[in-house]
CSV table of all heavy atoms in Angstrom, one decimal:
chain,number,residue,atom,x,y,z
A,425,PHE,N,-32.6,121.3,-70.8
A,425,PHE,CA,-33.0,120.9,-72.1
A,425,PHE,C,-34.3,121.5,-72.6
A,425,PHE,O,-34.5,121.8,-73.8
A,425,PHE,CB,-33.1,119.4,-72.2
A,425,PHE,CG,-31.8,118.7,-72.4
A,425,PHE,CD1,-31.1,118.2,-71.3
A,425,PHE,CD2,-31.3,118.5,-73.6
A,425,PHE,CE1,-29.9,117.6,-71.4
A,425,PHE,CE2,-30.0,117.9,-73.8
A,425,PHE,CZ,-29.3,117.4,-72.7
A,426,ALA,N,-35.2,121.8,-71.6
A,426,ALA,CA,-36.5,122.6,-72.0
A,426,ALA,C,-36.1,124.0,-72.5
A,426,ALA,O,-36.7,124.5,-73.4
A,426,ALA,CB,-37.4,122.6,-70.8
A,427,THR,N,-35.1,124.6,-71.8
A,427,THR,CA,-34.6,125.9,-72.2
A,427,THR,C,-34.0,125.8,-73.6
A,427,THR,O,-34.3,126.7,-74.5
A,427,THR,CB,-33.6,126.4,-71.2
A,427,THR,OG1,-34.1,126.5,-69.9
A,427,THR,CG2,-33.1,127.8,-71.6
A,428,ILE,N,-33.2,124.8,-73.9
A,428,ILE,CA,-32.6,124.6,-75.2
A,428,ILE,C,-33.7,124.5,-76.3
A,428,ILE,O,-33.7,125.1,-77.4
A,428,ILE,CB,-31.7,123.4,-75.3
A,428,ILE,CG1,-30.5,123.6,-74.4
A,428,ILE,CG2,-31.3,123.0,-76.7
A,428,ILE,CD1,-29.6,122.4,-74.2
A,429,ILE,N,-34.8,123.7,-76.0
A,429,ILE,CA,-35.9,123.5,-76.9
A,429,ILE,C,-36.6,124.9,-77.2
A,429,ILE,O,-36.9,125.2,-78.3
A,429,ILE,CB,-36.9,122.5,-76.3
A,429,ILE,CG1,-36.2,121.1,-76.3
A,429,ILE,CG2,-38.2,122.5,-77.1
A,429,ILE,CD1,-37.0,120.1,-75.5
A,430,PHE,N,-36.8,125.6,-76.1
A,430,PHE,CA,-37.5,126.9,-76.3
A,430,PHE,C,-36.7,127.9,-77.1
A,430,PHE,O,-37.2,128.6,-77.9
A,430,PHE,CB,-37.8,127.5,-74.9
A,430,PHE,CG,-38.6,128.8,-75.0
A,430,PHE,CD1,-39.9,128.8,-75.5
A,430,PHE,CD2,-38.1,130.0,-74.6
A,430,PHE,CE1,-40.7,129.9,-75.5
A,430,PHE,CE2,-38.8,131.2,-74.6
A,430,PHE,CZ,-40.1,131.1,-75.1
A,431,VAL,N,-35.3,128.0,-76.9
A,431,VAL,CA,-34.5,128.8,-77.6
A,431,VAL,C,-34.5,128.5,-79.1
A,431,VAL,O,-34.5,129.3,-80.0
A,431,VAL,CB,-33.0,128.8,-77.1
A,431,VAL,CG1,-32.1,129.5,-78.0
A,431,VAL,CG2,-33.0,129.4,-75.7
A,432,LEU,N,-34.4,127.2,-79.4
A,432,LEU,CA,-34.5,126.7,-80.8
A,432,LEU,C,-35.8,127.1,-81.4
A,432,LEU,O,-35.9,127.4,-82.6
A,432,LEU,CB,-34.3,125.2,-80.8
A,432,LEU,CG,-32.8,124.7,-80.7
A,432,LEU,CD1,-32.8,123.2,-80.6
A,432,LEU,CD2,-32.0,125.2,-81.9
A,433,PHE,N,-36.9,127.0,-80.6
A,433,PHE,CA,-38.2,127.4,-81.1
A,433,PHE,C,-38.2,128.8,-81.5
A,433,PHE,O,-38.8,129.2,-82.5
A,433,PHE,CB,-39.2,127.1,-80.0
A,433,PHE,CG,-40.6,127.5,-80.4
A,433,PHE,CD1,-41.4,126.6,-81.2
A,433,PHE,CD2,-41.2,128.7,-79.9
A,433,PHE,CE1,-42.7,127.0,-81.6
A,433,PHE,CE2,-42.5,129.0,-80.3
A,433,PHE,CZ,-43.2,128.2,-81.1
A,434,ILE,N,-37.6,129.7,-80.7
A,434,ILE,CA,-37.6,131.1,-81.0
A,434,ILE,C,-36.8,131.3,-82.3
A,434,ILE,O,-37.2,132.1,-83.2
A,434,ILE,CB,-36.9,131.9,-79.9
A,434,ILE,CG1,-37.8,131.9,-78.6
A,434,ILE,CG2,-36.7,133.4,-80.3
A,434,ILE,CD1,-37.2,132.5,-77.4
A,435,CYS,N,-35.7,130.6,-82.4
A,435,CYS,CA,-34.9,130.7,-83.7
A,435,CYS,C,-35.7,130.3,-84.9
A,435,CYS,O,-35.6,130.9,-86.0
A,435,CYS,CB,-33.6,129.9,-83.5
A,435,CYS,SG,-32.4,130.5,-82.3
A,436,ALA,N,-36.5,129.2,-84.7
A,436,ALA,CA,-37.3,128.7,-85.8
A,436,ALA,C,-38.3,129.7,-86.3
A,436,ALA,O,-38.5,129.8,-87.5
A,436,ALA,CB,-38.0,127.4,-85.4
A,437,TYR,N,-38.9,130.5,-85.4
A,437,TYR,CA,-39.9,131.4,-85.8
A,437,TYR,C,-39.3,132.8,-86.3
A,437,TYR,O,-40.0,133.6,-86.8
A,437,TYR,CB,-40.9,131.7,-84.7
A,437,TYR,CG,-42.0,130.7,-84.8
A,437,TYR,CD1,-41.9,129.4,-84.2
A,437,TYR,CD2,-43.2,131.0,-85.5
A,437,TYR,CE1,-42.9,128.5,-84.3
A,437,TYR,CE2,-44.2,130.1,-85.6
A,437,TYR,CZ,-44.1,128.8,-85.0
A,437,TYR,OH,-45.1,127.9,-85.1
A,438,HIS,N,-38.0,132.9,-86.1
A,438,HIS,CA,-37.3,134.1,-86.7
A,438,HIS,C,-36.5,133.8,-87.9
A,438,HIS,O,-36.2,134.7,-88.7
A,438,HIS,CB,-36.3,134.7,-85.6
A,438,HIS,CG,-37.0,135.5,-84.6
A,438,HIS,ND1,-37.4,135.0,-83.4
A,438,HIS,CD2,-37.4,136.8,-84.5
A,438,HIS,CE1,-38.0,135.9,-82.6
A,438,HIS,NE2,-38.0,137.0,-83.3
A,439,PHE,N,-36.2,132.5,-88.1
A,439,PHE,CA,-35.5,132.1,-89.3
A,439,PHE,C,-36.2,131.0,-90.0
A,439,PHE,O,-36.2,129.9,-89.4
A,439,PHE,CB,-34.0,131.7,-89.0
A,439,PHE,CG,-33.3,132.8,-88.3
A,439,PHE,CD1,-33.1,132.7,-86.9
A,439,PHE,CD2,-32.7,133.8,-89.0
A,439,PHE,CE1,-32.4,133.7,-86.2
A,439,PHE,CE2,-32.0,134.8,-88.3
A,439,PHE,CZ,-31.8,134.8,-86.9
A,440,ASN,N,-36.8,131.2,-91.1
A,440,ASN,CA,-37.6,130.2,-91.8
A,440,ASN,C,-36.9,129.0,-92.2
A,440,ASN,O,-37.4,127.8,-92.1
A,440,ASN,CB,-38.3,130.8,-93.1
A,440,ASN,CG,-39.4,130.0,-93.6
A,440,ASN,OD1,-40.3,129.6,-92.9
A,440,ASN,ND2,-39.3,129.6,-94.9
A,441,THR,N,-35.6,129.1,-92.5
A,441,THR,CA,-34.8,128.0,-92.9
A,441,THR,C,-34.6,127.0,-91.7
A,441,THR,O,-34.7,125.8,-91.8
A,441,THR,CB,-33.4,128.4,-93.3
A,441,THR,OG1,-33.5,129.3,-94.4
A,441,THR,CG2,-32.5,127.2,-93.8
A,442,VAL,N,-34.5,127.6,-90.5
A,442,VAL,CA,-34.3,126.8,-89.3
A,442,VAL,C,-35.6,126.0,-89.0
A,442,VAL,O,-35.7,124.8,-88.7
A,442,VAL,CB,-34.0,127.6,-88.1
A,442,VAL,CG1,-34.0,126.8,-86.8
A,442,VAL,CG2,-32.6,128.3,-88.3
A,443,LYS,N,-36.8,126.7,-89.2
A,443,LYS,CA,-38.1,126.1,-89.0
A,443,LYS,C,-38.3,125.0,-90.0
A,443,LYS,O,-38.8,123.9,-89.6
A,443,LYS,CB,-39.2,127.2,-89.2
A,443,LYS,CG,-40.6,126.6,-88.9
A,443,LYS,CD,-41.6,127.7,-89.0
A,443,LYS,CE,-43.0,127.2,-88.7
A,443,LYS,NZ,-44.0,128.3,-88.8
A,444,GLU,N,-38.0,125.1,-91.2
A,444,GLU,CA,-38.1,124.1,-92.2
A,444,GLU,C,-37.2,122.9,-91.9
A,444,GLU,O,-37.7,121.7,-92.0
A,444,GLU,CB,-37.8,124.6,-93.6
A,444,GLU,CG,-38.8,125.6,-94.2
A,444,GLU,CD,-38.4,126.1,-95.5
A,444,GLU,OE1,-37.3,125.7,-96.0
A,444,GLU,OE2,-39.1,126.9,-96.1
A,445,LEU,N,-36.1,123.1,-91.4
A,445,LEU,CA,-35.1,122.1,-91.0
A,445,LEU,C,-35.7,121.3,-89.8
A,445,LEU,O,-35.6,120.0,-89.8
A,445,LEU,CB,-33.8,122.7,-90.6
A,445,LEU,CG,-32.6,121.7,-90.3
A,445,LEU,CD1,-32.2,120.9,-91.5
A,445,LEU,CD2,-31.4,122.4,-89.7
A,446,LEU,N,-36.2,122.0,-88.8
A,446,LEU,CA,-36.7,121.3,-87.6
A,446,LEU,C,-38.1,120.7,-87.7
A,446,LEU,O,-38.5,120.0,-86.8
A,446,LEU,CB,-36.8,122.4,-86.4
A,446,LEU,CG,-35.4,122.9,-86.0
A,446,LEU,CD1,-35.6,124.0,-84.9
A,446,LEU,CD2,-34.5,121.8,-85.4
A,447,SER,N,-38.8,120.9,-88.8
A,447,SER,CA,-40.1,120.3,-89.0
A,447,SER,C,-40.1,119.5,-90.3
A,447,SER,O,-41.2,119.2,-90.8
A,447,SER,CB,-41.2,121.4,-89.1
A,447,SER,OG,-40.9,122.3,-90.1
A,448,ASN,N,-39.0,119.0,-90.7
A,448,ASN,CA,-38.9,118.1,-91.8
A,448,ASN,C,-39.1,116.6,-91.5
A,448,ASN,O,-38.2,116.1,-90.7
A,448,ASN,CB,-37.5,118.4,-92.5
A,448,ASN,CG,-37.4,117.7,-93.8
A,448,ASN,OD1,-37.6,116.5,-94.0
A,448,ASN,ND2,-37.0,118.4,-94.9
A,449,HIS,N,-40.1,116.0,-92.0
A,449,HIS,CA,-40.4,114.6,-91.6
A,449,HIS,C,-39.4,113.6,-92.2
A,449,HIS,O,-39.2,112.6,-91.6
A,449,HIS,CB,-41.8,114.2,-91.9
A,449,HIS,CG,-42.2,114.2,-93.3
A,449,HIS,ND1,-41.9,113.1,-94.2
A,449,HIS,CD2,-42.8,115.1,-94.1
A,449,HIS,CE1,-42.3,113.4,-95.4
A,449,HIS,NE2,-42.9,114.6,-95.4
A,450,TYR,N,-38.7,114.0,-93.3
A,450,TYR,CA,-37.7,113.2,-93.8
A,450,TYR,C,-36.5,113.1,-92.9
A,450,TYR,O,-36.0,112.0,-92.6
A,450,TYR,CB,-37.2,113.7,-95.2
A,450,TYR,CG,-38.1,113.5,-96.3
A,450,TYR,CD1,-38.9,114.6,-96.8
A,450,TYR,CD2,-38.3,112.2,-96.9
A,450,TYR,CE1,-39.8,114.4,-97.9
A,450,TYR,CE2,-39.2,112.0,-98.0
A,450,TYR,CZ,-39.9,113.1,-98.4
A,450,TYR,OH,-40.8,112.9,-99.5
A,451,LEU,N,-36.1,114.2,-92.3
A,451,LEU,CA,-35.0,114.3,-91.4
A,451,LEU,C,-35.3,113.5,-90.1
A,451,LEU,O,-34.5,112.8,-89.6
A,451,LEU,CB,-34.6,115.7,-91.1
A,451,LEU,CG,-33.7,116.4,-92.1
A,451,LEU,CD1,-33.4,117.8,-91.6
A,451,LEU,CD2,-32.3,115.7,-92.2
A,452,LEU,N,-36.6,113.7,-89.6
A,452,LEU,CA,-37.0,113.0,-88.4
A,452,LEU,C,-36.9,111.5,-88.6
A,452,LEU,O,-36.5,110.8,-87.8
A,452,LEU,CB,-38.4,113.4,-88.1
A,452,LEU,CG,-39.0,112.7,-86.9
A,452,LEU,CD1,-38.3,113.1,-85.6
A,452,LEU,CD2,-40.5,113.1,-86.7
A,453,ASN,N,-37.4,111.0,-89.8
A,453,ASN,CA,-37.3,109.6,-90.1
A,453,ASN,C,-35.9,109.0,-90.2
A,453,ASN,O,-35.7,107.9,-89.7
A,453,ASN,CB,-38.1,109.3,-91.4
A,453,ASN,CG,-39.6,109.5,-91.2
A,453,ASN,OD1,-40.1,109.5,-90.1
A,453,ASN,ND2,-40.3,109.7,-92.3
A,454,ILE,N,-35.0,109.8,-90.7
A,454,ILE,CA,-33.6,109.4,-90.8
A,454,ILE,C,-33.0,109.3,-89.4
A,454,ILE,O,-32.4,108.3,-89.1
A,454,ILE,CB,-32.8,110.4,-91.7
A,454,ILE,CG1,-33.2,110.3,-93.1
A,454,ILE,CG2,-31.3,110.1,-91.6
A,454,ILE,CD1,-32.6,111.4,-94.0
A,455,PHE,N,-33.2,110.3,-88.6
A,455,PHE,CA,-32.7,110.2,-87.2
A,455,PHE,C,-33.4,109.1,-86.4
A,455,PHE,O,-32.7,108.4,-85.6
A,455,PHE,CB,-33.0,111.6,-86.5
A,455,PHE,CG,-32.1,112.7,-86.9
A,455,PHE,CD1,-32.6,114.0,-87.0
A,455,PHE,CD2,-30.7,112.4,-87.2
A,455,PHE,CE1,-31.7,115.0,-87.4
A,455,PHE,CE2,-29.9,113.5,-87.6
A,455,PHE,CZ,-30.4,114.8,-87.7
A,456,THR,N,-34.7,108.9,-86.7
A,456,THR,CA,-35.4,107.8,-86.0
A,456,THR,C,-34.8,106.4,-86.4
A,456,THR,O,-34.6,105.5,-85.5
A,456,THR,CB,-36.9,107.8,-86.4
A,456,THR,OG1,-37.4,109.0,-85.9
A,456,THR,CG2,-37.6,106.7,-85.7
A,457,PHE,N,-34.5,106.2,-87.7
A,457,PHE,CA,-33.9,105.0,-88.2
A,457,PHE,C,-32.6,104.7,-87.5
A,457,PHE,O,-32.3,103.6,-87.0
A,457,PHE,CB,-33.7,105.0,-89.7
A,457,PHE,CG,-33.0,103.8,-90.2
A,457,PHE,CD1,-33.7,102.6,-90.3
A,457,PHE,CD2,-31.7,103.9,-90.7
A,457,PHE,CE1,-33.1,101.5,-90.8
A,457,PHE,CE2,-31.1,102.8,-91.2
A,457,PHE,CZ,-31.8,101.6,-91.3
A,458,ILE,N,-31.7,105.7,-87.4
A,458,ILE,CA,-30.4,105.6,-86.7
A,458,ILE,C,-30.6,105.3,-85.2
A,458,ILE,O,-29.9,104.4,-84.7
A,458,ILE,CB,-29.6,106.9,-86.9
A,458,ILE,CG1,-29.3,107.1,-88.4
A,458,ILE,CG2,-28.3,106.8,-86.1
A,458,ILE,CD1,-28.6,108.5,-88.7
A,459,SER,N,-31.5,106.0,-84.6
A,459,SER,CA,-31.7,105.8,-83.1
A,459,SER,C,-32.4,104.5,-82.8
A,459,SER,O,-32.1,103.9,-81.7
A,459,SER,CB,-32.6,107.0,-82.6
A,459,SER,OG,-31.9,108.2,-82.9
A,460,SER,N,-33.3,104.0,-83.6
A,460,SER,CA,-34.1,102.8,-83.2
A,460,SER,C,-33.6,101.6,-83.8
A,460,SER,O,-33.9,100.5,-83.3
A,460,SER,CB,-35.6,103.0,-83.6
A,460,SER,OG,-35.7,103.2,-85.0
Side-chain angles (χ1 to χ4, degrees):
F425 279 95
T427 302
I428 293 172
I429 292 168
F430 185 65
V431 171
L432 282 175
F433 178 80
I434 295 174
C435 293
Y437 272 84
H438 281 93
F439 303 99
N440 194 53
T441 304
V442 176
K443 184 177 181 181
E444 291 178 358
L445 184 69
L446 293 174
S447 57
N448 188 305
H449 64 82
Y450 287 106
L451 279 178
L452 178 63
N453 290 338
I454 291 171
F455 286 143
T456 298
F457 177 72
I458 296 172
S459 303
S460 63

